[in-house]
Amino acid sequence: MSWAGAQIDGIGSDTCSGSMILRQRNGMGRMNRNITSVIAGNEETGAPGGRFRSVNPAATSEVVAEVALGSAKMFADAARAARAAKLSWSDVPAPVRGRAIAHIGRLVEANAESLARLVTREIGKPYAEALGEVREIVDTCDFFLGEGRRLYGQTVPSEMPDKQLFTFRNPVGVVAVITAGNFPVAVPSWYLVPALLCGNCVVWKPAEYASASARALYELLVRGGGLPDGVLNLVLADGDETFAGLDIALGEGCVDKVGFTGSSKVGARIGELTGRHLQSACLELGGKNPMVVTPSADIDLAVAAALFSGFGTAGQRCTSLGTVIVHEDVREEFTGQLDEATRQAPVGDPFRDVVYGPMLNARFGRRFEEYLGWIQPYHRLLGSTGTGRITARNPREGFLGDPEAGIFYHPTIVTGLREEDALFREETFGPLVGLMGYRDLDEAIRLANAPGYGLSAAIYTRDPAEAFRFRRGVSAGMVSINNSTSGAEAHLPFGGNGKSGNGSRQSGIWVLDQFTRWQSMNWDYSGSLQKAQMDVAELNADESYRLTD
Ligand code: UN1
């Protein structure tokens, strides 16, 4: 599918914008690209932060992009460029900015398959899921294009005559967005689309290992929106340089809001840094998402959901299932069925019909190995013909493709979990699901909350009273009844509590509070200085009055 005279994906087309995407043949006969940061419309061809190879995790010999990494200075430069563009963008009428979002949505839709293919190649997300991810951008644009004609403020009555009160939503200014690579285009759009719609200029720092997908989305946003230079800036850099650059930019007053999706550990550091500048970041962090299966549950449904939410995206969603908490009466039945379904699940080449493909990148494989090291002798492992990396020596029955070509891991169900286990308490980003029993709902709720995260939680029950008791008791920001922990829709508030975030919410109308600040205005046209609380008329109430029987 072509866009702007070139293709995002495929072989044989030339450059997209000057030197932006220089296609070269690599060993696999595929094209790869040189990807750079873009600040105020200029490509930053230097690589002060070094060069990074983004490879296909399903076929690691295939280089998807050569990435020129920037430095802390480059990040700060981008923030300065965004600040310089700030007034001209916020002066564009909001309905016109809404039209820009409408065009972006259409351009993304027209490029959906190319973008999804690129996402699949770069981070190994199964193609059907990658298409869903692109759909999530379009959904986000569909929601916010109309918000350009609303972005409502209020008229509020005054306590005095001939005076009127108003509220306005003002853009915050410059937004720095730092995103993970598991949703390399959808989750960034949750920040970028509303931030731009609200009249902010943006510096976006995506995950390095998803640079090609990020650069493609950047092009669709800039070209689709007709965004002037400096309104959206892309910085490709590693975490340390980004953090140092953010520190500089905050110190100079060039960043007014930070949006961050990533680990709880880094989120805490970002929260600390922004706190020093009296800012509160929008933090979307990890999860240890529980699913409670009650005796009245439809077990087939619960098994299907556990499979999808535990192993879909190779368990690398922040909303992925962490622990199934299953009632003792149905524990054996559920465990047997989940084991069977997981053994049968197709794993492998993400361009085929699989439940999941490779890890996002080698670094996630290495980290997952550490989590597997938390398995204890008293745990029982189910779900596959092995544990750990899938290889010729450690095969997975029914694997689709060549496991040795990429970074593929067996799905692992860990039963016999105990509350003190690290596997129960910590997020284990990867294809691993824990399972433990409970006897009454209060215990299930306590276990659901015990790890201290609070992103997403699910319950399978046919009893409405149980559903509502669970909703009330669970600390998660998002609750599913008879649905998976993952797969939130793009216009409901998304976000978590505890180790999953600082209470900020993305998506729908709720995210507007992240990217705008309320300004109140009062206008006195009485011709006199009417003092609030003092020059206020008082009516005489007879509070001693009582009805007589
Ligand atoms: C994430 O993993 O950071 O609810 C976001 C879901 C997706 C978004 C996940 N819509 O699973």
Side-chain angles (χ1 to χ4, degrees), residues 125 129 132-133 136 180 182-183 186-187 190 261-262 284-285 308 313 316-320 427 429 455-456 478 484-490 494 506:
K125 181 172 288 198
E129 257 188 72
E133 160 148 14
E136 209 162 328
N182 59 340
F183 275 81
V187 170
W190 296 356
T261 294
E284 204 263 273
L285 310 176
F308 170 68
T313 329
Q316 299 166 110
R317 294 189 186 206
C318 59
T319 52
S320 289
E427 182 179 34
F429 210 67
L455 190 63
S456 177
M478 300 177 286
S484 134
T485 55
S486 60
E489 296 186 37
F494 188 103
Q506 296 188 272

Side-chain angles (χ1 to χ4, degrees), residues 289-302:
N289 307 298
M291 175 186 287
V292 172
V293 181
T294 68
S296 71
D298 177 329
I299 299 292
D300 291 350
L301 258 191

Side-chain angles (χ1 to χ4, degrees), residues 7 152 186 222 230 286 313 318 339-340 370 392 449 455 457 518:
Q7 287 183 315
Y152 293 143
V222 169
T313 329
C318 59
D339 178 32
E340 189 51 32
E370 283 176 36
N449 291 335
L455 190 63
W518 284 112

Side-chain angles (χ1 to χ4, degrees), residues 320-485:
S320 289
L321 170 62
T323 307
V324 189
I325 302 164
V326 53
H327 194 277
E328 293 294 354
D329 289 355
V330 288
R331 170 142 79 143
E332 224 183 278
E333 184 189 355
F334 177 87
T335 307
Q337 283 198 31
L338 182 61
D339 178 32
E340 189 51 32
T342 308
R343 282 175 196 278
Q344 298 300 324
V347 174
D349 178 354
F351 278 105
R352 294 170 71 175
D353 190 11
V354 292
V355 167
Y356 73 89
M359 303 302 280
L360 302 166
N361 176 269
R363 80 170 76 151
F364 293 93
R366 286 192 293 273
R367 211 177 57 177
F368 187 61
E369 303 260 355
E370 283 176 36
Y371 301 142
L372 291 173
W374 295 348
I375 293 170
Q376 299 298 323
Y378 51 81
H379 292 144
R380 196 161 65 98
L381 307 182
L382 304 171
S384 196
T385 42
T387 18
R389 189 144 177 192
I390 305 174
T391 59
R393 286 239 204 99
N394 183 24
R396 155 103 181 153
E397 211 175 285
F399 186 88
L400 296 175
D402 174 10
E404 308 242 351
I407 307 147
F408 295 94
Y409 279 81
H410 285 276
T412 301
I413 302 164
V414 181
T415 67
L417 268 195
R418 297 179 185 170
E419 263 190 84
E420 62 274 18
D421 289 346
L423 282 180
F424 171 74
R425 309 204 76 85
E426 302 296 332
E427 182 179 34
T428 50
F429 210 67
L432 186 148
V433 168
L435 204 150
M436 65 203 301
Y438 79 92
R439 290 201 180 279
D440 68 69
L441 192 64
D442 286 339
E443 186 191 0
I445 292 172
R446 191 184 57 73
L447 289 170
N449 291 335
Y453 291 84
L455 190 63
S456 177
I459 186 167
Y460 274 77
T461 178
R462 289 189 170 103
D463 177 351
E466 269 189 338
F468 279 104
R469 260 177 71 202
F470 181 72
R471 183 208 67 74
R472 222 168 79 105
V474 82
S475 61
M478 300 177 286
V479 181
S480 299
I481 314 295
N482 298 331
N483 193 12
S484 134
T485 55

